[in-house]
Amino acid sequence: MSATVLAPDALAALGDVADGATVMIGGFGPAGQPTELVEALLAQGATGLTVVSNNAGNGDDPLARLIRDGRVAKMVCSFPRQVDSWHFDAAYRSGAVELELVPQGNLAERIRAAGAGIGAFYTPTGYGTPLADGKETRRIDGVDHVLEHPIHADLALVRADRADRAGNLVYRKTARNFGPVMATAARRTVVQVREVVPAGALDPEAVVTPGIYVDAVVATGTHAGGEASA
Amino acid sequence: MSATVLAPDALAALGDVADGATVMIGGFGPAGQPTELVEALLAQGATGLTVVSNNAGNGDDPLARLIRDGRVAKMVCSFPRQVDSWHFDAAYRSGAVELELVPQGNLAERIRAAGAGIGAFYTPTGYGTPLADGKETRRIDGVDHVLEHPIHADLALVRADRADRAGNLVYRKTARNFGPVMATAARRTVVQVREVVPAGALDPEAVVTPGIYVDAVVATGTHAGGEASA
Amino acid sequence: MTHLEHAPRTDTPLTKAQIAARVAADIAPGSYVNLGIGLPTLVADHLDPGSGVTLHTENGMLGMGPAPEPDAADPDLVNAGKTPVTELPGAAYFHQADSFAMMRGGHIDVCVLGAFQVSVTGDLANWSTGEPGAVPAVGGAMDLAVGARRTVVTMTLLTKDGAPKLVERCTLPLTGVACVSRVYTDLAVLDVGPDGARVVETFGTTHGELETLLGLTLGRTS
Amino acid sequence: MTHLEHAPRTDTPLTKAQIAARVAADIAPGSYVNLGIGLPTLVADHLDPGSGVTLHTENGMLGMGPAPEPDAADPDLVNAGKTPVTELPGAAYFHQADSFAMMRGGHIDVCVLGAFQVSVTGDLANWSTGEPGAVPAVGGAMDLAVGARRTVVTMTLLTKDGAPKLVERCTLPLTGVACVSRVYTDLAVLDVGPDGARVVETFGTTHGELETLLGLTLGRTS
């Protein structure tokens, strides 16, 4: 990875995204969703995307609009159905979007494996269920396991709380969720933060995502719920 | 795991250790070595131990003395040979101690796998080398991998910098090394720290090892190099 | 360690709150506990604050506290059901891979889940009604089912239509195989496992009536 | 991106410092770099501080700085050779599994290693002399060999006894297979890989002399 670039706005941070790209989008529902970056992806125009995200949009949030606008060919996610996941539900029922449903812990571990250079791993989660249909299994120490493979991406969009100029990140409460693992698993990782601070201003003991994983950072001045930062 | 116990001294923290137990000992050379806890293990008397540790003792440090005294039947480690690993060298040459040599990253990942409930994993590290002799291999996406299994332990001895009363830990600089993964991989994890602070006194965003992994803590009042804490 | 002295004693079926209290009575002090969405969440209201039970939420936190005052809700601090929670002293945050490592690795003492069906051998079905055309969603259900040291279920014993939810063999898509050890219901507490279902306690019914209701032969706990 | 304008130009074999400088000249600004123990460590002295190169040490740190003043050594802050180092602004610490995930996952741009032998196809032998009865030790060598985007080697081209260390096929126990892409030596810089060894640059010798010395047919970089 090269040194982290501080971008002037979300669209510049995003850079080029090819049609057909695999894009990881952080967040667990609204918590930790990189709203401004997904807005930028909407504006950027790439289509035929595979989106890896725990959920599949709420209401008319940018991820939901990406699906509504037919830009997403496939969702890889653990919990697409929400009370307000109208756009995904419609696209799924019409066959406009393909779904790979992955148990949440397997999703996280498969993303981690991609970032960690692990070729595949055996997990007990999902064994004997429809989500393991057709997958290789193995009994290890008396426990049945399923072989799962890494999920790599071309691009990861992540929301953190603060970044330093070296690209180191800290998050805020449960908004941390998928950000740290997604940041490791993509060829390019773009992060929106509330604020950027000088190198050395984050405690090196408390850095959650080291800057090596971060290609571009944009300060959006917003945090949870989109409020302007104090 | 039950709630973390604050022990009055290292021997009390250690508790019972059975002959033949597998014991993980943190540290990378002297950095992060839980000196007082290994001293307690020396005093406690268990023998026939399997010790999992990156190194195999320096000079007459407590781990070296454990080996010298014939208490260790097997070492699982990545770098036993040091300029001053006299006791290990002698025990190895005489056949008194068995050695399982594991590449450092595989050692860390196998320990993590034990803590994370992963049954086994494919790693590229070691493929085609003598350390993969007899191990199952698989070509995944054009890269040759070796199948590696978790390393579980009965007991992990870890040195951290501070603990809170809930057992949450923070470490200091590169002394962090194996502590956080070893803490997850043992049936019982015992930690020595410089000081114990009230619950709530550690930043929840900066906790490295959550208290769920910690069974007992002892404040030794020492940090790196054994100096008394200020 | 069970605390039956705190258990509700009724001659009538338990309310949901009473089921939750009955589950709470079985949770040992100092335990680390994950509570599923729905009925299991109510268990938190019945845990003695002095018992040192720590709540895990799989979206990345240990030391989860109760819901905040409505005007104090923080959108960055939510539970697995995506509703606002609070942070207790001694809390810690971690990312998804670490959170599910904690779950899968057997570090959580008790996981309390809801269910559509549980089999007498402990198979669990709680993620899909199997309805064709329904939008599927699994979340952390499969990880939670197999990961904790002890997985228990809270549910009504019958569906709204009166069909048993404790069954010889699940007909709905499975969440996990042989993962549930105890089922807490309005009519009874039952242990399930390799030896089949055994009645621990009944509420407003009898062992025989339960067998008839469920169409199962039930053992007794010794 | 190479920076040949900074490369040493000599008509004599390179000193160790010159080899290190030659390696440093090939490291692109902004790179993340891991330097092995021994000769590779010297590369740090030749990196332009303004080039934004970040050093990784596999015992758990990014942003490693130079050795401290002797009386400022901190036993908790050491490199992979267990010698004291310092922390630069923007540093971060992480545990061993995360550190080797960073390495194995291909996030380090360049890893510079020492070697006993390198084969013309890039096999590396650098952890064991194969001596019977020797106490073996591998450390992170095998992880470093296969993990970085680009693994390069610094070594003298010949052993003290005059035997070639660049060989058709390694006779010592392997560290990794087909993992090295370039070898920096006192007599030449050579690329190795699927097409065999190719001379990039010579120091105080010629292409033909090198072929004789090594007993190999060497290609030329285009």
Side-chain angles (χ1 to χ4, degrees):
Chain A
M1 307 277 166
S2 51
T4 307
V5 170
L6 185 55
D9 58 51
L11 203 56
L14 186 70
D16 283 338
V17 184
D19 290 348
T22 295
V23 182
M24 290 179 174
I25 299 179
F28 179 79
Q33 191 169 135
T35 314
E36 280 81 351
L37 291 175
V38 186
E39 293 277 7
L41 181 59
L42 267 166
Q44 186 269 347
T47 190
L49 301 172
T50 292
V51 171
V52 181
S53 188
N54 191 61
N55 306 104
N58 292 81
D60 287 313
D61 73 15
L63 173 53
R65 279 180 280 144
L66 208 59
I67 295 165
R68 178 198 67 190
D69 293 355
R71 306 268 297 279
V72 179
K74 181 178 176 182
M75 285 294 312
V76 180
C77 90
S78 92
F79 212 90
R81 189 185 63 228
Q82 306 272 301
V83 289
D84 56 356
S85 58
W86 316 300
H87 297 308
F88 176 81
D89 297 2
Y92 176 76
R93 292 207 171 94
S94 74
V97 65
E98 182 189 348
L99 172 65
E100 180 182 349
L101 192 68
V102 182
Q104 194 172 335
N106 285 0
L107 183 63
E109 189 70 10
R110 289 174 64 189
I111 295 168
R112 183 211 175 251
I118 297 298
F121 60 89
Y122 288 99
T123 171
T125 300
Y127 177 84
T129 77
L131 299 190
D133 275 355
K135 297 197 172 189
E136 189 176 327
T137 63
R138 183 185 295 225
R139 196 170 183 87
I140 302 172
D141 282 342
V143 178
D144 291 305
H145 290 76
V146 181
L147 185 65
E148 294 285 355
H149 286 82
I151 302 175
H152 293 269
D154 299 298
L155 176 67
L157 304 181
V158 168
R159 176 184 214 133
D161 188 49
R162 286 186 298 160
D164 71 12
R165 292 300 296 260
N168 295 306
L169 305 179
V170 294
Y171 298 80
R172 193 164 173 277
K173 302 185 184 284
T174 58
R176 184 183 302 196
N177 58 68
F178 282 91
V181 285
M182 288 181 171
T184 69
R187 284 196 295 154
R188 177 171 165 78
T189 292
V190 179
V191 181
Q192 69 168 79
V193 295
R194 183 169 54 85
E195 61 171 351
V196 176
V197 298
L202 296 180
D203 179 359
E205 305 282 4
V207 167
V208 175
T209 295
I212 191 171
Y213 295 116
V214 177
D215 295 280
V217 167
V218 59
T220 58
T222 55
H223 62 96
E227 315 134 50
S229 139
Chain B
M1 308 278 167
S2 50
T4 306
V5 170
L6 185 57
D9 57 53
L11 203 57
L14 186 71
D16 285 336
V17 184
D19 290 347
T22 296
V23 182
M24 290 177 174
I25 299 178
F28 179 79
Q33 191 170 135
T35 314
E36 281 82 350
L37 290 175
V38 186
E39 292 276 8
L41 181 59
L42 267 166
Q44 186 269 345
T47 189
L49 301 172
T50 293
V51 170
V52 182
S53 187
N54 191 63
N55 305 103
N58 292 81
D60 287 314
D61 73 13
L63 173 52
R65 279 181 279 144
L66 208 58
I67 295 165
R68 178 197 67 189
D69 294 355
R71 306 269 297 280
V72 179
K74 181 178 176 182
M75 284 296 311
V76 180
C77 88
S78 91
F79 212 89
R81 189 186 62 229
Q82 305 273 301
V83 287
D84 55 356
S85 58
W86 315 299
H87 297 308
F88 176 81
D89 296 2
Y92 176 77
R93 292 207 171 95
S94 74
V97 66
E98 183 189 348
L99 171 65
E100 180 181 349
L101 192 68
V102 183
Q104 194 172 335
N106 285 359
L107 183 64
E109 189 70 10
R110 290 175 64 189
I111 295 169
R112 181 206 178 255
I118 297 298
F121 60 90
Y122 289 99
T123 172
T125 300
Y127 178 84
T129 78
L131 299 191
D133 274 356
K135 298 196 173 191
E136 190 176 326
T137 63
R138 183 184 296 225
R139 196 169 182 88
I140 302 171
D141 283 342
V143 179
D144 291 307
H145 291 76
V146 181
L147 184 65
E148 292 286 354
H149 286 83
I151 301 175
H152 294 270
D154 299 297
L155 175 66
L157 304 181
V158 168
R159 177 183 214 135
D161 188 48
R162 286 188 297 159
D164 71 12
R165 292 300 297 259
N168 294 305
L169 306 179
V170 294
Y171 298 80
R172 192 163 174 279
K173 304 188 184 282
T174 59
R176 184 184 303 195
N177 57 68
F178 282 92
V181 285
M182 288 183 170
T184 70
R187 285 195 296 152
R188 175 172 168 79
T189 293
V190 179
V191 181
Q192 69 169 77
V193 295
R194 185 170 51 86
E195 61 171 351
V196 176
V197 298
L202 296 180
D203 179 0
E205 305 283 3
V207 167
V208 174
T209 294
I212 191 171
Y213 295 116
V214 178
D215 295 280
V217 166
V218 59
T220 58
T222 55
H223 62 96
E227 316 134 53
S229 140
Chain C
M1 194 185 323
T2 59
H3 299 271
L4 292 174
E5 65 280 16
H6 298 133
R9 287 276 170 259
T10 73
D11 294 331
T12 55
L14 299 191
T15 62
K16 286 187 175 178
Q18 287 172 318
I19 297 174
R22 181 64 187 76
V23 173
D26 275 356
I27 294 176
S31 295
Y32 290 88
V33 175
N34 182 294
L35 301 175
I37 298 170
L39 177 49
T41 304
L42 301 181
V43 172
D45 302 335
H46 300 276
L47 292 169
D48 177 356
S51 70
V53 168
T54 303
L55 295 183
H56 172 255
T57 182
E58 67 267 26
N59 53 315
M61 182 188 194
L62 273 172
M64 178 174 68
E69 297 301 312
D71 58 355
D74 180 339
D76 281 347
L77 181 49
V78 297
N79 65 14
K82 304 193 180 76
T83 60
V85 293
T86 49
E87 172 190 303
L88 297 179
Y93 298 102
F94 28 83
H95 62 58
Q96 286 294 279
D98 279 351
S99 185
F100 280 93
M102 191 180 285
M103 173 54 73
R104 194 191 309 106
H107 305 286
I108 306 290
D109 295 294
V110 183
C111 181
V112 185
L113 296 173
F116 300 141
Q117 290 180 329
V118 176
S119 83
V120 296
T121 55
D123 292 353
L124 172 66
N126 80 345
W127 72 280
S128 167
T129 57
E131 205 182 311
V135 177
V138 66
M142 291 185 178
D143 308 276
L144 301 180
V146 304
R149 293 195 184 180
R150 183 170 165 79
T151 298
V152 303
V153 157
T154 58
M155 63 181 190
T156 56
L157 193 56
L158 305 178
T159 67
K160 282 171 186 158
D161 301 333
K165 291 157 82 172
L166 180 71
V167 294
E168 188 68 32
R169 181 183 289 266
C170 295
T171 54
L172 294 175
L174 287 190
T175 306
V177 176
C179 54
V180 178
S181 56
R182 182 167 279 192
V183 181
Y184 297 85
T185 77
D186 47 345
L187 298 177
V189 176
L190 301 106
D191 282 344
V192 292
D195 302 326
R198 295 180 304 165
V199 178
V200 176
E201 211 172 338
T202 60
F203 309 110
T205 186
T206 67
H207 189 104
E209 285 169 0
L210 273 179
E211 288 190 320
T212 306
L213 198 62
L214 298 173
L216 296 171
T217 303
L218 302 172
R220 291 171 198 276
T221 54
S222 49
Chain D
M1 197 184 321
T2 58
H3 300 271
L4 291 177
E5 66 277 18
H6 298 133
R9 287 274 170 261
T10 73
D11 293 332
T12 56
L14 299 191
T15 63
K16 287 188 175 179
Q18 286 173 318
I19 297 175
R22 180 64 188 78
V23 174
D26 274 357
I27 295 176
S31 294
Y32 290 89
V33 175
N34 182 293
L35 300 176
I37 297 171
L39 177 49
T41 304
L42 300 181
V43 173
D45 301 336
H46 301 275
L47 292 168
D48 176 356
S51 69
V53 168
T54 302
L55 295 183
H56 172 254
T57 182
E58 66 268 26
N59 53 314
M61 181 187 195
L62 274 172
M64 179 173 67
E69 297 300 313
D71 59 353
D74 180 340
D76 281 347
L77 181 49
V78 297
N79 66 12
K82 305 193 179 76
T83 60
V85 293
T86 49
E87 172 190 304
L88 297 178
Y93 297 102
F94 28 82
H95 62 59
Q96 285 296 278
D98 280 351
S99 185
F100 280 92
M102 190 179 286
M103 174 52 72
R104 194 191 309 107
H107 306 284
I108 306 290
D109 295 293
V110 183
C111 182
V112 185
L113 296 174
F116 299 141
Q117 289 180 329
V118 176
S119 83
V120 295
T121 56
D123 293 353
L124 173 66
N126 79 345
W127 71 280
S128 169
T129 56
E131 205 182 312
V135 177
V138 66
M142 291 185 178
D143 308 276
L144 301 179
V146 303
R149 293 193 185 181
R150 182 169 165 78
T151 298
V152 303
V153 158
T154 59
M155 63 182 191
T156 55
L157 192 57
L158 305 178
T159 67
K160 283 174 187 158
D161 300 333
K165 291 157 82 171
L166 180 71
V167 294
E168 188 68 33
R169 179 183 291 265
C170 295
T171 55
L172 294 175
L174 287 189
T175 306
V177 176
C179 53
V180 177
S181 57
R182 180 168 280 194
V183 181
Y184 297 85
T185 77
D186 47 345
L187 298 177
V189 176
L190 301 107
D191 282 344
V192 293
D195 302 326
R198 296 179 302 166
V199 178
V200 177
E201 210 171 339
T202 59
F203 310 110
T205 185
T206 65
H207 189 103
E209 286 169 358
L210 273 180
E211 288 189 323
T212 305
L213 199 60
L214 299 172
L216 295 172
T217 305
L218 303 171
R220 291 173 197 274
T221 53
S222 51

